[in-house]
Amino acid sequence: MLITDRWLAWLPHPDGPAGKTVPNLPTGYTEVPFGRARLWTLLFDREAARKGGPLRLVDTVPGSHARTASWSKSMSFEDLQDALQVFTEIRENGPGTLLVSGDLLAIRPVYLRRRPDGWWLSNRVDLLRLVAPPEPLNSTLPLLEYFIMLSPMGRRTLEGGVERLQAGDWVEWTEERGPALHAEGLRVWLGRRDPDEHPRVAADTLKQTIYDSINRKLAWHPTMPVLALSGGFDSRLIGAAFRDMGHRPTAYTYGEPHHQENWAARQIAQRLGLELRKVEYPEDMLRSRMPMNFEILQGQIDPHVLHIANLLAIPEADGTAIMHGFLGDAISGSFVTSLRDDAFTSKDALADAIARRYAYPTLLKAAEAAGISYPLDQLRQTVYEDLQPAPTLYQSAMLWTCMNRQRRFTASQAEILGPRFAPFYPFYDRAFMELWLNQSMFAQIGRTLLRTLFILHFPVVATIPHPSANYAITPALKDILHKFARDRVMDLKERAYKLMGREQPHPDIMRISYGGETDEIRRSMAQEVTASAPALKARFGLDVPPNLLGFCFPDGKLYYDGLHTLRRFWALSRYARWAEDGEVSVLPQSQERTASAA
């Protein structure tokens, strides 16, 4: 079994050339031939590269942290996903046959460029650029989804001529037939739960499923993981489950003491008896870490997701597992609850509700100003086409968010953390996902089943209000008054700063994550976009509003929607320059980890 985290494959058509010499690949890549096809990869287990036996390559984040010595060569792909969870497998089933398949949600990217003489596949856009020059986009749909959904959806990318495999996709190559794409959709069982099942029974089953997932994943980590504690429901559930199982992980949070998230994390850690450490949150978080958007995320994701890179500053050894609540929020009911009441009357109504869920008026206006016609209609249509068949419409909605926004935007956090740490996602588990996907809609709306789980099994943290609201799962007057009092103090401070004509320092975590911390920075970003207007037009066909700053903040006041719009234009302008430069990072793995953590 070969382990890697960077690879490039050439799969020729039957009548295509016998092989290809890849120009200018960074040093360190090993060529692995299989028939007329070729694979170039960075290997972390040199002993396993010896000749003989069928090819089996596992692409994981991070490749250098995989403890391959303890893996059986016959270990199934499903078991491998439970080990470190973020994988792509390239495997020979027999002479002249090759299969490329991804993890459950295809979180680990596989990019595909189809050429007349064969297909190029890689987990990196910049490697594909070395063998096939980038092309202009032939559709504005990826850009529209980037503006509204924070990244292209489905198989679309911001790179002309490049697709990204969807959940359930796999590529098969044979000497006789060449490459072929097979689309199966999300490979989970869908049915209906017993409508008479008592919520207490469902909560008990849910608790045991979480514990089973944690135990399977713990078996593959030599030391206790640390906990990323944001104060939300997902991270507090993981922390409470670990304590109930007899573990006491170290918890990390970030933000200033007056931030809502930091306050909630402190309350939770105190109740659970966990040591809580603070990770610094730099003021120029987004701009200083923008190189990671291209080096690691290949520019395909809105840079707001880079806020997770703060966890790279955790003072733990490389390879430490970080527990994170990825997927828990969406799959336990927040996404279904966020849709309109009439969303589940028809497929058309569902597509419209999902599109409107993200298409804020300011963002639609920005898309129109950029030259994208009828943005809401386009968005509705593409969501409709991406909705997967299921026994119920609410299950189709759940499949949509798992296969699109969760795997494309939220799951990119695994790529960011991967250079230093091993992602540990208790909720990213086939059994757990199937359990939630087959609950009744009643269990999802208002997160009813999740609330029942907390009330029955984790009441000690159920009284702490959520960071973004004054309510708690189990109201407790002391906790509600505590949060209400601190919120009012923060409001008074903000008003005082406004009266002085100043901006409050560190007003909230999101402001820093959105990138426009000060008026000076916002003006600098707008000027950068204006200077890049020709490149944006040539690369994407996008127009830049003449007065971008005035467009984003028409009355001079600061709105989050305006920050979103400014950041989208700014990030795309940097992507256009990245495409023109065509540079590929060739940092050795050790240097790359250091640079990422800086």
Side-chain angles (χ1 to χ4, degrees):
M1 184 188 301
L2 308 182
I3 305 298
T4 187
D5 60 15
R6 297 194 185 193
W7 58 273
L8 173 71
W10 165 245
L11 309 180
H13 291 309
D15 55 352
K20 289 256 181 180
T21 300
V22 180
N24 301 322
L25 265 183
T27 58
Y29 282 77
T30 299
E31 180 176 350
V32 183
F34 42 93
R36 296 171 58 245
R38 292 290 185 274
L39 176 73
W40 296 268
T41 179
L42 287 178
L43 297 177
F44 289 98
D45 189 349
R46 297 289 178 180
E47 277 298 310
R50 61 183 181 275
K51 295 182 179 180
L55 171 71
R56 190 183 188 197
L57 181 82
V58 174
D59 167 28
T60 180
V61 172
S64 56
H65 302 161
R67 295 187 296 130
T68 57
S70 61
W71 291 3
S72 167
K73 291 187 177 181
S74 61
M75 189 175 182
S76 71
F77 188 39
E78 288 73 19
D79 288 336
L80 280 173
Q81 292 178 60
D82 272 335
L84 294 179
Q85 302 186 75
V86 186
F87 287 93
T88 300
E89 184 180 43
I90 304 175
R91 184 179 75 251
E92 276 185 299
N93 276 352
T97 301
L98 189 74
L99 299 179
V100 180
S101 56
D103 57 271
L104 183 59
L105 284 182
I107 288 175
R108 191 70 171 128
V110 176
Y111 298 108
L112 164 64
R113 170 160 265 160
R114 308 183 199 223
R115 308 298 289 177
D117 48 358
W119 291 4
W120 288 103
L121 285 87
S122 180
N123 62 357
R124 297 180 64 83
V125 168
D126 55 15
L127 291 182
L128 290 179
R129 288 178 172 179
L130 294 178
V131 295
E135 305 168 2
L137 281 176
N138 58 8
S139 169
T140 59
L141 188 54
L143 296 170
L144 173 61
E145 291 174 326
Y146 187 87
F147 267 102
I148 306 299
M149 304 287 191
L150 304 174
S151 69
M153 299 287 122
R155 297 188 182 91
R156 294 172 287 279
T157 74
L158 292 175
E159 191 78 0
V162 174
E163 308 162 62
R164 176 174 169 174
L165 297 195
Q166 177 65 288
D169 287 355
W170 53 284
V171 172
E172 179 184 29
W173 177 85
T174 64
E175 292 274 8
E176 298 78 18
R177 296 187 299 273
L181 176 63
H182 302 268
E184 295 185 358
L186 187 56
R187 292 189 285 266
V188 295
W189 175 82
L190 290 176
R192 295 174 183 265
R193 297 288 292 182
D194 179 0
D196 296 324
E197 182 180 55
H198 195 281
R200 288 177 176 268
V201 176
D204 290 345
T205 305
L206 182 61
K207 173 189 173 185
Q208 188 57 51
T209 304
I210 294 173
Y211 286 18
D212 290 345
S213 173
I214 289 173
N215 282 326
R216 282 196 300 273
K217 293 165 178 58
L218 279 177
W220 295 99
H221 295 280
T223 59
M224 176 59 55
V226 299
L227 171 65
L229 185 60
S230 69
F233 290 143
D234 301 319
S235 60
R236 79 172 71 180
L237 175 56
I238 296 173
F242 261 75
R243 287 296 290 123
D244 192 59
M245 296 170 73
H247 307 301
R248 194 187 294 269
T250 301
Y252 287 90
T253 193
Y254 46 72
E256 300 301 320
H258 64 269
H259 288 154
Q260 305 274 24
E261 295 82 357
N262 187 288
W263 176 85
R266 295 200 311 273
Q267 309 307 308
I268 295 165
Q270 184 179 18
R271 300 281 175 89
L272 294 177
L274 301 179
E275 179 187 1
L276 182 66
R277 301 176 182 177
K278 176 186 172 184
V279 180
E280 291 300 322
Y281 204 110
E283 292 185 32
D284 62 344
M285 190 280 301
L286 185 142
R287 289 169 294 109
S288 65
R289 289 179 172 146
M290 266 303 286
M292 297 175 65
N293 187 255
F294 302 111
E295 169 60 24
I296 296 176
L297 303 180
Q298 302 289 278
Q300 301 299 305
I301 311 294
D302 182 83
H304 162 50
V305 77
L306 290 171
H307 75 272
I308 201 68
N310 293 295
L311 297 179
L312 291 172
I314 288 178
E316 300 284 349
D318 284 8
T320 297
I322 292 186
M323 292 184 287
H324 191 275
F326 162 65
L327 203 63
D329 183 61
I331 207 168
S332 63
S334 67
F335 177 70
V336 170
T337 303
S338 72
L339 301 179
R340 297 194 321 255
D341 293 340
D342 63 347
F344 305 101
T345 57
S346 69
K347 186 176 178 180
D348 282 311
L350 179 56
D352 182 67
I354 291 175
R356 292 182 184 275
R357 162 69 179 82
Y358 297 104
Y360 298 121
T362 302
L363 296 178
L364 289 175
K365 182 181 176 183
E368 290 176 338
I372 301 174
S373 303
Y374 307 105
L376 184 57
D377 291 341
Q378 284 196 59
L379 204 60
R380 260 194 301 251
Q381 182 60 32
T382 188
V383 170
Y384 184 93
E385 293 171 355
D386 286 342
L387 285 172
Q388 302 294 308
T392 67
L393 281 173
Y394 107 85
Q395 288 171 318
S396 290
M398 295 296 294
L399 290 176
W400 182 90
T401 191
C402 287
M403 295 177 64
N404 287 277
R405 197 169 189 273
Q406 296 302 312
R407 67 173 284 267
R408 293 299 296 264
F409 180 68
T410 312
S412 62
Q413 296 171 347
E415 300 288 309
I416 297 171
L417 296 179
R420 279 206 66 211
F421 301 121
F424 190 108
Y425 297 148
F427 303 135
Y428 185 37
D429 177 85
R430 188 186 303 270
F432 180 81
M433 291 175 66
E434 287 184 344
L435 178 62
W436 269 115
L437 287 166
N438 289 285
Q439 291 297 326
S440 68
M441 186 171 170
F442 171 77
Q444 293 270 342
I445 296 298
R447 308 181 80 171
T448 303
L449 179 55
L450 184 72
R451 296 166 73 90
T452 303
L453 174 69
F454 272 103
I455 292 170
L456 291 178
H457 297 293
F458 309 111
V460 69
V461 292
T463 64
I464 300 170
H466 191 276
S468 60
N470 285 323
Y471 71 88
I473 293 174
T474 303
L477 185 60
K478 178 182 177 181
D479 289 325
I480 292 175
L481 289 178
H482 186 185
K483 186 172 189 299
F484 179 81
R486 68 164 302 282
D487 287 351
R488 300 293 75 76
V489 170
M490 289 304 303
D491 289 342
L492 290 175
K493 285 185 177 180
E494 184 176 357
R495 292 179 185 178
Y497 272 96
K498 285 184 178 180
L499 288 174
M500 293 184 292
R502 296 165 53 192
E503 290 189 20
Q504 184 180 359
H506 312 294
D508 57 57
I509 287 180
M510 288 298 100
R511 172 83 66 82
I512 304 172
S513 299
Y514 292 164
E517 301 92 306
T518 66
D519 181 66
E520 180 183 3
I521 291 172
R522 293 190 288 274
R523 290 184 181 280
S524 174
M525 293 169 70
Q527 291 169 0
E528 189 175 336
V529 174
T530 301
S532 301
L536 281 169
K537 187 67 173 179
R539 181 73 184 166
F540 299 122
L542 285 184
D543 299 316
V544 176
N547 177 9
L548 181 59
L549 207 60
F551 178 86
C552 294
F553 312 105
D555 56 3
K557 295 182 179 179
L558 184 64
Y559 298 104
Y560 282 153
D561 285 1
L563 284 177
H564 286 309
T565 301
L566 178 61
R567 189 180 68 252
R568 304 289 205 283
F569 276 107
W570 178 75
L572 286 172
S573 70
R574 293 213 162 188
Y575 186 95
R577 293 208 303 276
W578 181 64
E580 288 178 346
D581 295 341
E583 294 181 359
V584 180
S585 172
V586 293
L587 287 176
Q589 194 71 16
S590 59
Q591 292 183 29
E592 183 177 297
R593 288 197 298 271
T594 303
S596 296

